[in-house]
Amino acid sequence: MDTMSQILKLLEKTDSIEINEFRMDVDELELTIMPTLQNVVQKVVEKQIEAKKEFESQIEFKYPVKNYVGKVNEVKLGGKNRKTVKLGGQTSLYRFEEPQPNAPTVTFDVFDIPMNGLPRPIKENFEDVMHSPGEWAQKAVKEFGADMITLHLIGTDPKVKDKSLKDAAKDLEEVLQAVKVPLVIGGSGNPKKDPLVLEMAAEVADGERCLLASANLDLDYQKIAQAAVKHDHAVLSWAISDINMQKVLNKALMKEGLTHNDIVMDPTTCALGYGIEFSIDVMTRTRLSALKGDEILQMPMSSGTTNAWGSREAWMKKDEWGPTKYRGPIWEVVTGLTMMLCGVDIFMMLHPLSVKTLKEIGTTLTYEYKSKESQDISDWINKF
């Protein structure tokens, strides 16, 4: 067998040829490709095309769509003299499985006393109205497009101003008159006084379908639940990052007459960098349990996203961290977005930019999921 035939024989099963330390100095070069060599080149090209097709099939991603047997119950807030907002109603966890029927709702935090300790990026937006909860709420709605207001009756705490129930009622009435959006009504966190405050609030806002925040196992939750049933309100069921505690509390509230359509759960929001992984775990498990058929957990979820401002990275001045006027809102948005991806339905927030951003993101969850990723990848491959 001559040398050329030997070379062609070797090339029959070769995909590519690499020649090292080769040099050719010519004035004119003419190559004649023999039929056998041409066949070898054709086979190499065909194998390259096959490899490309195989690569394309490997990168095609199919979304892991699941069909669940359960459904999150819908809770309606508002009505009578104000707009209505619906929470929950999901039949899936992710948008690519099924679009949400109701967009996540963001509510502005408003306080019954001036909150001079608020971080500067927040205070500079509201310091002109902090003397009046009604004006504070009105500014949040008119200037920043608030869909809901959370009124925190902090001043009722005996360790703060120890406001009487009568004074708290006046503050609540002021907000009810000032805005026509649904309200979340929160106490001060004092376990002895909060049930009395929320009982009073339920009566003052009779029929307005507010969310009373909140009931937990460490206070007189029966009083809160009974007031909610009597005056047609919903109740925020707050458990501290414990799914079993959440179930116990939900059952207890339902024994007092509340239904699945009257309860919103708050599994507790830990801030970005300060235990957020615990919230991710409990919220995702809670939502998946609901979708898998656990009826006692088939309620919407709430996030106290303002907890993000407790992180020093959100408010502490430090040049290498960047300006707080951007860093703070970003910290709040990322905390809220993380909770949103875990199935949360309503977010209590502070900064206008954070609220605006999260609202815009939240509306996309109600759209049909149409991804361009596969086409973009195919276009990229075809360039080569």
Side-chain angles (χ1 to χ4, degrees):
M1 184 179 295
D2 58 30
T3 303
M4 182 56 70
S5 297
Q6 291 178 2
I7 293 174
L8 293 175
K9 187 70 175 175
L10 292 171
L11 290 174
E12 285 182 356
K13 297 182 180 181
T14 302
D15 292 336
S16 60
I17 303 172
E18 182 177 339
I19 302 176
N20 295 318
E21 298 180 3
F22 175 78
R23 176 177 176 177
M24 179 181 292
D25 296 318
V26 296
D27 293 329
E28 184 176 344
L29 178 65
E30 181 178 338
L31 294 177
T32 302
I33 301 178
M34 294 182 292
T36 305
L37 184 59
Q38 190 173 8
N39 290 336
V40 172
V41 173
Q42 182 64 32
K43 287 181 180 180
V44 171
V45 172
E46 289 174 356
K47 287 183 177 180
Q48 288 177 338
I49 293 173
E50 289 177 5
K52 179 182 176 182
K53 289 181 179 179
E54 184 179 356
F55 177 69
E56 289 178 339
S57 64
Q58 288 177 349
I59 65 170
E60 184 178 352
F61 178 75
K62 293 183 178 180
Y63 302 101
V65 176
K66 294 184 179 181
N67 294 317
Y68 299 98
V69 297
K71 178 183 178 180
V72 178
N73 286 281
E74 200 171 66
V75 174
K76 186 182 78 170
L77 300 175
K80 194 176 180 180
N81 296 313
R82 56 203 63 251
K83 298 176 182 177
T84 59
V85 168
K86 292 181 179 180
L87 308 176
Q90 297 93 332
T91 56
S92 64
L93 178 61
Y94 301 114
R95 182 175 62 133
F96 59 76
E97 294 175 322
E98 186 75 26
Q100 289 187 193
N102 301 304
T105 299
V106 186
T107 169
F108 263 96
D109 283 344
V110 170
F111 301 86
D112 63 336
I113 59 174
M115 297 293 288
N116 296 319
L118 288 177
R120 169 53 56 182
I122 299 168
K123 191 164 63 173
E124 65 187 8
N125 287 287
F126 296 106
E127 57 188 351
D128 59 324
V129 292
M130 283 187 179
H131 62 281
S132 165
E135 290 183 24
W136 194 336
Q138 201 169 54
K139 184 172 185 178
V141 172
K142 289 188 175 181
E143 292 191 24
F144 302 121
D147 294 324
M148 285 187 65
I149 293 295
T150 298
L151 174 62
H152 297 278
L153 297 170
I154 299 294
T156 60
D157 192 325
K159 296 181 180 179
V160 181
K161 285 197 172 184
D162 198 17
K163 280 189 175 185
S164 67
L165 296 182
K166 185 177 180 180
D167 288 336
K170 289 180 180 178
D171 290 330
L172 173 56
E173 186 63 42
E174 182 182 330
V175 174
L176 287 169
Q177 294 297 324
V179 296
K180 298 303 177 184
V181 298
L183 300 185
V184 180
I185 306 171
S188 64
N190 184 282
K192 290 185 178 180
K193 198 164 182 181
D194 270 7
L196 300 174
V197 171
L198 295 179
E199 183 182 43
M200 170 278 299
E203 183 177 357
V204 172
D206 180 70
E208 296 288 1
R209 192 65 178 166
C210 301
L211 179 61
L212 305 180
S214 60
N216 63 72
L217 295 172
D218 294 327
L219 49 66
D220 188 356
Y221 62 82
Q222 294 97 333
K223 186 181 291 292
I224 299 171
Q226 291 165 9
V229 172
K230 182 178 180 180
H231 299 285
D232 189 22
H233 298 295
V235 172
L236 189 66
S237 174
W238 175 41
I240 304 176
S241 299
D242 187 326
I243 195 169
N244 293 318
M245 185 189 298
Q246 187 74 70
K247 294 178 72 171
V248 170
L249 179 56
N250 289 354
K251 288 179 181 178
L253 292 174
M254 294 178 76
K255 282 183 180 179
E256 300 301 324
L258 293 171
T259 70
H260 286 85
N261 304 106
D262 301 317
I263 297 174
V264 177
M265 300 180 293
D266 182 358
T268 303
T269 296
C270 301
L272 174 64
Y274 290 80
I276 197 171
E277 61 274 13
F278 295 107
S279 293
I280 292 171
D281 176 67
V282 71
M283 288 181 175
T284 304
R285 286 193 297 120
T286 298
R287 178 50 51 92
L288 287 175
S289 295
L291 294 173
K292 290 178 181 179
D294 192 337
E295 294 183 2
I296 205 65
L297 293 173
Q298 291 177 339
M299 297 93 164
M301 289 190 292
S302 171
S303 165
T305 315
T306 49
N307 290 342
W309 289 95
S311 306
R312 62 177 184 171
E313 290 86 352
W315 55 267
M316 185 180 290
K317 291 184 178 180
K318 204 168 185 179
D319 292 340
E320 56 265 40
W321 289 356
T324 55
K325 69 176 181 178
Y326 299 124
R327 185 166 16 104
I330 288 173
W331 215 260
E332 191 175 24
V333 167
V334 174
T335 298
L337 177 58
T338 303
M339 297 299 95
M340 185 180 287
L341 295 175
C342 298
V344 169
D345 302 275
I346 181 170
F347 302 81
M348 299 180 189
M349 301 178 71
L350 275 168
H351 197 283
L353 180 58
S354 304
V355 173
K356 182 177 185 295
T357 304
L358 203 67
K359 279 175 60 177
E360 290 180 356
I361 295 173
T363 57
T364 66
L365 300 183
T366 62
Y367 302 157
E368 192 73 35
Y369 192 75
K370 296 180 180 179
S371 175
K372 293 177 58 183
E373 282 88 342
S374 298
Q375 185 61 45
D376 291 342
I377 293 172
S378 296
D379 293 342
W380 178 78
I381 291 173
N382 289 333
K383 292 179 181 179
F384 297 92

